Amino acid sequence: MSDSRVVLVDECPDDLVEAVERRGFTTESCAGPDAVFDVLDGGVGGVVLCGDVDTGFVSRVRGRVGVVPVFFLVGDGTASAGESAHCGGAIALDEPEVPAAADSVAARVERVIEFSRWASNDRNSESLYRTVVEQSHDAIFVTQGGEFRFWNRRLTELTGLSDGELAETPVLSVVHSDDRERAADIAATRRRGGDAPASYEIRIVDADGDIRECSANVKEIEYHGSYGVLVSVRDVTEQRATEARFRGLVELARDLVTLVGTDGRIRYQSPSVTEVLGFEPGELVGRSVSDLIHPDDWEDVEEVFERALQTGADGTDPVRYRHRNAEGSWTWLESVGSNQTGTSVDGFVVTSRNVTEQRSYEQRLKRYETIVESIGQGAYVVDEAGVVQFINEAALSRTNIPMSAFVGRHVSALRDAGYLAADQYERAEAALDAVLGGESERERFEIELSLPEAEYVVEFTVSPIVGDDGGVVGAVGISTDVTERKRYEQRLNALHASTRRLTGATSREEVADIVREAATEILDYAISGVLLYDESLDALVPAAFTDEAWAVFGDVPPIPRGTGLTWEVFERGEHNLYRDVDSNPRRAVRDAGVREELIVPIPDHGVFFVASLDEGELADQRIALAKVLAANTRAVLDRVERERLLRKRERELASQNEQLESFASVVSHDLKNPLNAAMGYLELARERYDGDELDRVADAHERMAAIVEDVLALARNGQMVEAAERLSLRPVAEAAWTTAAGGAPEATLAVDGDVAVDAHRGRLRQLLENLFSNAVRHGGDDVTVRVGPLGDRDGFYVADDGPGIPPDERPRIFEAGYTTSSEGTGFGLSVVMSVVNAHGWSVWFVESDDGGARFEITTESDC
């Protein structure tokens, strides 16, 4: 117990205050360090503060009252790493968090304050000695007559015996039974004045029966006027165990441990030399290492060890070389030397391992790395946490980004650096999570990469890396720059869109505008235009230019035949990419500043072009798209031309129909009325006069009437059919036969299969009646007429077994008025032709299988 005061600063824990007071101290609290000096005097035994060690404060305290212990209560357990942390007289203790800890801190405070007071009192030198002994790490005791007379705290810890037990225990009782006789002999020899060792190894058995390896040091002393022995015992159990472990490591290690003297000769090799090189242990001892290392590698090895000798460096960098093995061949070793020339070892301790397989693996790995670097695709490896472990050169080839910017960092660094937008990163993150989570064997996705140099589209394929236990330990990604492919797809889509627009164009001018726009969208060049051929000028005329093209070329006049590069392409029908256009003497416009120009022909119609004011921009896949655009344009212009001609033909037919209507009106009114009058007067003449002349006049009237009817039929049937219906040919043919062959009962109609025809019923019947009448008229009353479908195309035929038509007459058979019969009007086949034309059909004459006439009508029509 003590009557000293303990000053507590900065709200020390209540538990600690109570624990200190229980040990007999008076406590006094201060609000801060500066307040301590207001109460500091000779009665203060110690000061306790909460917070980090402040040696300046300690110096101020000692300057005021001398050696007074100052304790600092530090947090986080930093003071418990060892004995009290002394620094400039300060003592650091762990801040107590529970009552038991507060009692421990209070006890420490008490012991240190007592020690401080003993140390400052010269009369208490024995107490000072005891304190020093008690602080020793060794077990110290004094023995007389084989009994313990004095011992320190460490001895009780070593033996596990209490102070009372040690007082009643002979010294040799704690010694291992196998060591007692030796220990007694040493003690007796020393007592007789003989040559006894001052230090020796001995084993101590503690109270639990555990054996402790110890090192003992003894010294004869006079203790309280009698002969005694001061013994210092150090527990070396862990040290011996460590030595045994190291010895075991050396003896059992698979790596080869070699001791090489400064003379370059082997002094020791571990037993692993048998496994590594095939030699028996000790077989190479005494050999010079230079005799065992491959001559081509010796210079490198020698340089490493000589440098270590010259610099005195503790160790060497790893060095690889070939070492001769027991079979006489070479084994690749990797060695690290520890320079122990300045120690009792007096040499190099060399640790070597067999790297033959590793070197082979590394060579294979190097080949794989070469392949990875040569594939032209980006390669990435991430661990299971998504941290980038590897990136090849190709992955960063288009950027100025160093590998260090991403290797060792999470893939999110791409987003954080602004190279990936948030939505793009989410797409990549989802794919990577699926692979690393074992949910997918392969993920393929595209992301848009924003780099300072340009925008790129990259396709990634991510696959898992599987460890030995089957778990996913990482992922490997392969990236392909698909920017050009995506741009090509966009251009291809634009080409399809332009094609759809072209299909709706109705004029050359509209086609030219669409092609000009398409050339800009598809080929991505602002300078473009279309020139179309004008037959009246025999020249290529600008039809549609972009504003940029007008600005570059100005007002371009028509390009006559044989003039310039444009006509050259149009005439040859092959595209051409012209370089350095501005210096070409055949250029159409001089001093326009154009460096490159792609001119593509639109066969039979004109050309279109794209141009650039820079070099090297036109030589890519866009040329193929330009050719496709040209082919599509030609097809559309061909259609537009056909439609133009068709409209022209329709206008001509409309005019012709008007003329026919007018003609029919004339025939119907101006001819039939006088003819009817003439026939009336003929009847009156018959009443007055009867003669052959009047019969001939009647025949003439009848012929004139037939001609008028045929002309009217020709006019009516020549008009275009506006309302067609789906008809079956058989019933229409049978009805027409009844009318046409009514006067020839022996004539026969054979229908060889039915045909569906889109036609005007009345005009189709008129066509068949005229063909049947023509067959009866020329083939006789017993003629056979056949009707049937055409086998190889849509349509039908009408054939007879009559005499046919002579070859030299066949070209004229469809002319109006042509006939070979004295009874015919010559309009029958003309009527057939007019019906065919009105329906948009076609008719051909060929000889029938029976030698007669065969008319083939194809019914393919745009009506």
Side-chain angles (χ1 to χ4, degrees):
M1 304 290 287
S2 173
D3 58 357
S4 297
R5 297 196 336 272
V6 175
V7 179
L8 301 163
V9 186
D10 293 335
E11 298 182 357
C12 290
D14 293 338
D15 289 340
L16 177 60
V17 176
E18 294 173 359
V20 171
E21 290 177 347
R22 283 198 298 270
R23 293 188 175 272
F25 292 103
T26 300
T27 63
E28 188 169 355
S29 298
C30 292
D34 291 338
V36 171
F37 297 97
D38 295 334
V39 298
L40 197 61
D41 56 30
V44 174
V47 181
V48 181
L49 299 88
C50 292
D52 295 334
V53 172
D54 184 352
T55 56
F57 177 77
V58 176
S59 298
R60 291 172 62 194
V61 170
R62 292 190 173 182
R64 177 73 66 87
V65 295
V67 179
V68 174
V70 181
F71 304 91
F72 291 88
L73 302 181
V74 297
D76 303 327
T78 56
S80 60
E83 295 291 329
S84 298
H86 297 276
C87 179
I91 304 171
L93 303 176
D94 288 330
E95 183 177 358
E97 298 180 356
V98 296
D103 286 338
S104 178
V105 170
R108 177 67 61 85
V109 169
E110 180 183 26
R111 287 197 300 270
V112 174
I113 289 176
E114 289 179 356
F115 169 76
S116 176
R117 298 216 166 185
W118 290 336
S120 61
N121 191 344
D122 292 339
R123 293 174 298 174
N124 293 324
S125 59
E126 184 176 351
S127 297
L128 178 59
Y129 172 77
R130 284 180 175 274
T131 302
V132 171
V133 170
E134 289 295 337
Q135 298 296 326
S136 174
H137 291 288
D138 293 340
I140 300 174
F141 63 91
V142 175
T143 177
Q144 288 178 318
E147 302 295 331
F148 290 107
R149 299 304 182 193
F150 164 80
W151 58 89
N152 67 349
R153 175 183 52 82
R154 184 70 183 94
L155 184 63
T156 62
E157 295 174 355
L158 178 63
T159 63
L161 299 175
S162 66
D163 292 336
E165 291 170 332
L166 282 173
E168 298 176 356
T169 301
V171 174
L172 289 179
S173 295
V174 300
V175 177
H176 193 281
S177 57
D178 294 341
D179 296 343
R180 288 174 186 170
E181 183 177 355
R182 181 168 61 90
D185 289 343
I186 293 174
T189 302
R190 179 181 301 104
R191 185 71 177 86
R192 294 194 304 268
D195 187 12
S199 299
Y200 54 89
E201 303 293 323
I202 194 168
R203 286 172 290 179
I204 300 296
V205 181
D206 64 18
D208 294 328
D210 294 333
I211 300 173
R212 313 298 297 178
E213 298 280 348
C214 297
S215 172
N217 289 278
V218 297
K219 180 180 182 182
E220 295 174 301
I221 63 171
E222 182 178 340
Y223 189 67
H224 295 294
S226 301
Y227 175 82
V229 178
L230 176 65
V231 182
S232 174
V233 179
R234 175 167 296 182
D235 186 353
V236 295
T237 304
E238 291 300 323
Q239 180 181 339
R240 295 292 182 262
T242 301
E243 291 175 357
R245 286 195 295 270
F246 278 114
R247 184 169 58 253
L249 287 173
V250 171
E251 298 295 332
L252 300 176
R254 300 188 63 181
D255 286 351
L256 176 60
V257 180
T258 306
L259 176 58
V260 181
T262 54
D263 58 357
R265 295 187 178 275
I266 297 173
R267 292 164 52 185
Y268 168 82
Q269 278 190 322
S270 62
S272 56
V273 68
T274 302
E275 181 179 352
V276 176
L277 297 173
F279 296 107
E280 293 297 324
E283 185 177 350
L284 298 181
V285 172
R287 295 279 301 273
S288 173
V289 293
S290 62
D291 297 335
L292 300 170
I293 296 177
H294 194 287
D296 292 344
D297 301 334
W298 169 244
E299 184 176 346
D300 294 336
V301 176
E302 184 180 32
E303 179 182 352
V304 169
F305 287 99
E306 284 185 353
R307 184 166 60 249
L309 283 172
Q310 293 171 0
T311 61
D314 292 340
T316 66
D317 294 330
V319 59
R320 286 189 177 184
Y321 57 93
R322 284 162 288 183
H323 193 291
R324 188 179 302 279
N325 55 40
E327 296 178 353
S329 57
W330 301 99
T331 298
W332 278 95
L333 298 182
E334 181 179 81
S335 297
V336 176
S338 176
N339 186 356
Q340 300 295 323
T341 55
T343 69
S344 60
V345 175
D346 192 26
F348 283 91
V349 178
V350 181
T351 303
S352 306
R353 60 191 181 99
N354 187 344
V355 294
T356 303
E357 291 186 4
Q358 179 179 341
R359 188 173 184 277
S360 177
Y361 166 78
E362 290 173 350
Q363 289 177 331
R364 292 196 305 272
L365 182 61
K366 185 64 176 179
R367 289 196 295 269
Y368 292 146
E369 289 178 352
T370 301
I371 293 172
V372 169
E373 294 293 352
S374 302
I375 59 176
Q377 294 174 291
Y380 310 76
V381 175
V382 300
D383 62 16
E384 65 273 17
V387 175
V388 179
Q389 302 297 321
F390 170 79
I391 299 180
N392 70 343
E393 293 286 350
L396 302 175
S397 59
R398 289 194 173 187
T399 74
N400 295 322
I401 306 172
M403 287 188 183
S404 58
F406 298 115
V407 175
R409 302 179 64 186
H410 192 269
V411 292
S412 58
L414 278 169
R415 176 199 58 197
D416 299 339
Y419 301 129
L420 275 183
D423 60 328
Q424 301 293 314
Y425 173 72
E426 289 175 3
R427 185 182 308 168
E429 184 182 37
L432 186 59
D433 287 346
V435 171
L436 293 177
E439 300 172 4
S440 175
E441 289 294 325
R442 174 168 294 187
E443 289 290 318
R444 187 186 299 272
F445 59 94
E446 289 182 358
I447 57 176
E448 296 175 5
L449 204 59
S450 299
L451 300 178
E453 297 79 8
E455 301 284 333
Y456 297 101
V457 180
V458 181
E459 180 183 79
F460 278 87
T461 300
V462 182
S463 303
I465 300 174
V466 180
D468 295 337
D469 60 353
V472 177
V473 297
V476 59
I478 299 296
S479 67
T480 304
D481 185 350
V482 295
T483 307
E484 289 302 320
R485 189 188 77 189
K486 298 300 290 186
R487 289 176 180 170
Y488 182 76
E489 291 175 358
Q490 293 170 354
R491 293 183 182 118
L492 196 59
N493 291 334
L495 176 61
H496 292 163
S498 69
T499 301
R500 289 192 295 272
R501 294 200 303 272
L502 281 171
T503 57
T506 58
S507 68
R508 283 161 53 96
E509 292 74 16
E510 185 178 359
V511 170
D513 283 337
I514 294 173
V515 173
R516 177 203 61 195
E517 294 174 1
T520 302
E521 295 173 2
I522 298 168
L523 305 182
D524 197 22
Y525 290 101
I527 304 174
S528 65
V530 179
L531 297 95
L532 297 178
Y533 178 68
D534 187 324
E535 187 175 2
S536 64
L537 298 176
D538 193 23
L540 292 169
V541 179
F545 277 26
T546 62
D547 292 341
E548 291 80 1
W550 287 122
V552 169
F553 295 113
D555 189 10
V556 180
I559 301 176
R561 177 181 294 276
T563 303
L565 305 177
T566 306
W567 189 274
E568 178 182 280
V569 170
F570 176 65
E571 190 171 42
R572 287 206 329 263
E574 296 179 0
H575 78 276
N576 206 339
L577 174 59
Y578 294 96
R579 308 283 188 184
D580 199 14
V581 176
D582 218 30
S583 63
N584 194 312
R586 301 197 63 199
R587 64 192 183 280
V589 179
R590 298 179 182 276
D591 302 325
V594 174
R595 303 303 302 273
E596 293 183 340
E597 185 174 6
L598 172 65
I599 305 176
V600 183
I602 308 172
D604 303 326
H605 297 285
V607 300
F608 76 86
F609 69 88
V610 293
S612 172
L613 302 181
D614 300 315
E615 294 182 353
E617 294 190 3
L618 294 177
D620 59 15
Q621 60 199 177
R622 284 172 281 191
I623 293 178
L625 295 177
K627 293 171 67 177
V628 174
L629 177 61
N632 294 343
T633 304
R634 179 188 185 184
V636 172
L637 286 173
D638 286 344
R639 175 184 59 77
V640 169
E641 181 63 18
R642 288 195 302 271
E643 291 176 353
R644 185 187 68 80
L645 294 176
L646 179 60
R647 288 192 295 271
K648 179 180 178 182
R649 177 59 178 163
E650 288 174 350
R651 290 192 298 271
E652 292 174 350
L653 287 174
S655 176
Q656 182 180 358
N657 286 339
E658 291 178 0
Q659 294 175 1
L660 287 174
E661 286 286 350
S662 177
F663 177 71
S665 176
V666 170
V667 170
S668 176
H669 296 88
D670 296 349
L671 291 181
K672 288 186 71 174
N673 289 339
L675 180 60
N676 290 336
M679 294 177 70
Y681 283 117
L682 177 62
E683 292 299 323
L684 292 175
R686 282 185 183 278
E687 294 176 359
R688 297 179 182 180
Y689 177 77
D690 186 16
D692 294 338
E693 292 85 353
L694 294 179
D695 291 336
R696 287 195 291 272
V697 172
D699 291 341
H701 285 169
E702 290 177 1
R703 183 169 178 78
M704 290 175 64
I707 290 174
V708 169
E709 290 299 325
D710 283 347
V711 169
L712 287 174
L714 180 63
R716 287 194 298 270
N717 290 314
Q719 297 181 20
M720 297 296 294
V721 173
E722 296 180 356
E725 59 179 314
R726 194 73 169 174
L727 301 173
S728 177
L729 183 63
R730 179 187 290 274
V732 178
E734 291 173 347
W737 179 260
T738 300
T739 301
E746 300 298 325
T748 303
L749 173 66
V751 181
D752 301 331
D754 200 3
V755 181
V757 182
D758 292 325
H760 185 282
R761 183 182 294 274
R763 296 193 195 185
L764 176 60
R765 179 170 177 171
Q766 182 70 57
L767 179 148
L768 294 172
E769 286 178 356
N770 282 20
L771 289 177
F772 293 163
S773 297
N774 187 69
V776 171
R777 184 178 302 113
H778 294 284
D781 293 343
D782 60 348
V783 69
T784 297
V785 179
R786 310 189 74 85
V787 177
L790 297 175
D792 57 348
R793 56 196 185 278
D794 294 338
F796 59 92
Y797 67 87
V798 177
D800 62 53
D801 58 357
I805 299 176
D808 57 344
E809 299 289 337
R810 293 175 184 174
R812 301 179 52 226
I813 60 175
F814 293 109
E815 294 179 2
Y818 171 79
T819 182
T820 59
S821 170
S822 59
E823 299 178 355
T825 63
F827 287 98
L829 293 182
S830 294
V831 172
V832 170
M833 177 61 77
S834 68
V835 173
V836 167
N837 288 336
H839 282 84
W841 298 344
S842 299
V843 60
W844 283 272
F845 170 82
V846 296
E847 190 174 289
S848 70
D849 294 339
D850 297 321
R854 176 181 168 103
F855 293 90
E856 295 182 347
I857 295 94
T858 60
T859 58
E860 297 176 350
S861 170
D862 294 331
C863 294

